[in-house]
Amino acid sequence: GESVGLHLPTLSVQEGDNSIINCAYSNSASDYFIWYKQESGKGPQFIIDIRSNMDKRQGQRVTVLLNKTVKHLSLQIAATQPGDSAVYFCAESQTGGFKTIFGAGTRLFVKA
Amino acid sequence: DAGITQSPRHKVTETGTPVTLRCHQTENHRYMYWYRQDPGHGLRLIHYSYGVKDTDKGEVSDGYSVSRSKTEDFLLTLESATSSQTSVYFCAIRSGTGGTYEQYFGPGTRLTVT
């Protein structure tokens, strides 16, 4: 598949451990945030989102935390599995806006 | 995959030739986007559309044009391809229901300009 980033930050975790992927966003006016997962050779896939009126949101095995004070997002993946190996992108946008700004991504590598 | 297809999936073309990439959606979404993805740059917005015949530029629009004559189709044209336009191109739609704005992406087109 295509290489999505030759020089991406990489996180390597053992299967079964929890993973935390961090992201700093740039625009203090952003009020909607999304995490995407991109597997090799595929398009990005929506994982979870959060609005700025929340500081935590949970999905299935994933949790997103938002700290607006320092403009920081994190994605926590519980009991990481080999299928979680991918590049993860955070994205920010504004309510009513058309555009979404994507971060550069973090590569997650899960060791069996 | 939100009913999004892209064609062609792979293309090799020569510098100076025109190229058109097609994005087709089956779910009648209003918003459509074209991105390029390059190592070290993540996803960068080329153009987007907020309705039939309504389009606007993104951050890397130079050398690209778009057209949307039907809700389901969003075309990206490279008028005269250059080697710097070698990239993977992704189309996306935005699901704008319920106040959320997540985007759903097509499978991508790998374009090589020689």
Side-chain angles (χ1 to χ4, degrees):
Chain A
E2 296 86 1
S3 170
V4 301
L6 296 178
H7 305 291
L8 289 176
T10 298
L11 175 66
S12 184
V13 300
Q14 198 70 38
E15 180 179 2
D17 288 351
N18 297 333
S19 303
I20 300 176
I21 301 171
N22 295 304
C23 174
Y25 64 92
S26 56
N27 189 349
S28 56
S30 294
D31 61 1
Y32 179 65
F33 305 90
I34 311 170
W35 280 99
Y36 291 91
K37 172 186 180 183
Q38 187 175 26
E39 297 173 283
S40 182
K42 298 183 179 179
Q45 177 185 8
F46 171 81
I47 303 174
I48 191 168
D49 59 0
I50 188 168
R51 291 209 157 276
S52 58
N53 61 352
M54 304 172 69
D55 53 21
K56 179 179 180 179
R57 190 169 188 215
Q58 289 184 290
Q60 188 175 20
R61 277 201 312 118
V62 295
T63 300
V64 55
L65 300 179
L66 174 63
N67 185 329
K68 295 182 289 294
T69 302
V70 295
K71 294 191 288 187
H72 184 268
L73 275 172
S74 67
L75 178 71
Q76 301 177 2
I77 304 173
T80 313
Q81 303 168 1
D84 295 325
S85 292
V87 176
Y88 290 81
F89 296 94
C90 65
E92 57 181 300
S93 64
Q94 296 179 46
T95 301
F98 297 129
K99 300 180 185 178
T100 299
I101 306 298
F102 290 83
T106 296
R107 185 182 305 279
L108 176 65
F109 178 68
V110 182
K111 297 175 286 187
Chain B
D1 63 359
I4 305 168
T5 57
Q6 293 184 231
S7 59
R9 292 294 314 279
H10 298 87
K11 186 169 182 67
V12 180
T13 193
E14 294 184 348
T15 298
T17 60
V19 177
T20 295
L21 308 183
R22 179 182 185 238
C23 178
H24 179 78
Q25 57 140 334
T26 60
E27 299 185 1
N28 209 37
H29 292 286
R30 178 181 174 189
Y31 303 99
M32 299 184 75
Y33 302 80
W34 275 108
Y35 293 90
R36 62 178 289 173
Q37 187 173 45
D38 305 288
H41 289 280
L43 286 157
R44 293 184 291 174
L45 180 64
I46 305 171
H47 282 279
Y48 63 99
S49 170
Y50 46 97
V52 173
K53 292 187 169 49
D54 293 323
T55 65
D56 205 349
K57 296 179 180 180
E59 62 181 304
V60 290
S61 60
D62 287 348
Y64 301 95
S65 62
V66 290
S67 65
R68 192 165 178 205
S69 58
K70 299 184 292 184
T71 298
E72 58 266 35
D73 289 324
F74 192 31
L75 304 180
L76 176 71
T77 298
L78 290 65
E79 302 291 346
S80 178
T82 68
S83 58
S84 65
Q85 293 176 312
T86 292
S87 188
V88 180
Y89 291 85
F90 288 101
C91 172
I93 59 92
R94 190 182 89 174
S95 172
T97 59
T100 59
Y101 303 98
E102 69 267 25
Q103 294 182 20
Y104 294 91
F105 289 80
T109 294
R110 185 181 188 92
L111 177 67
T112 302
V113 183
T114 61

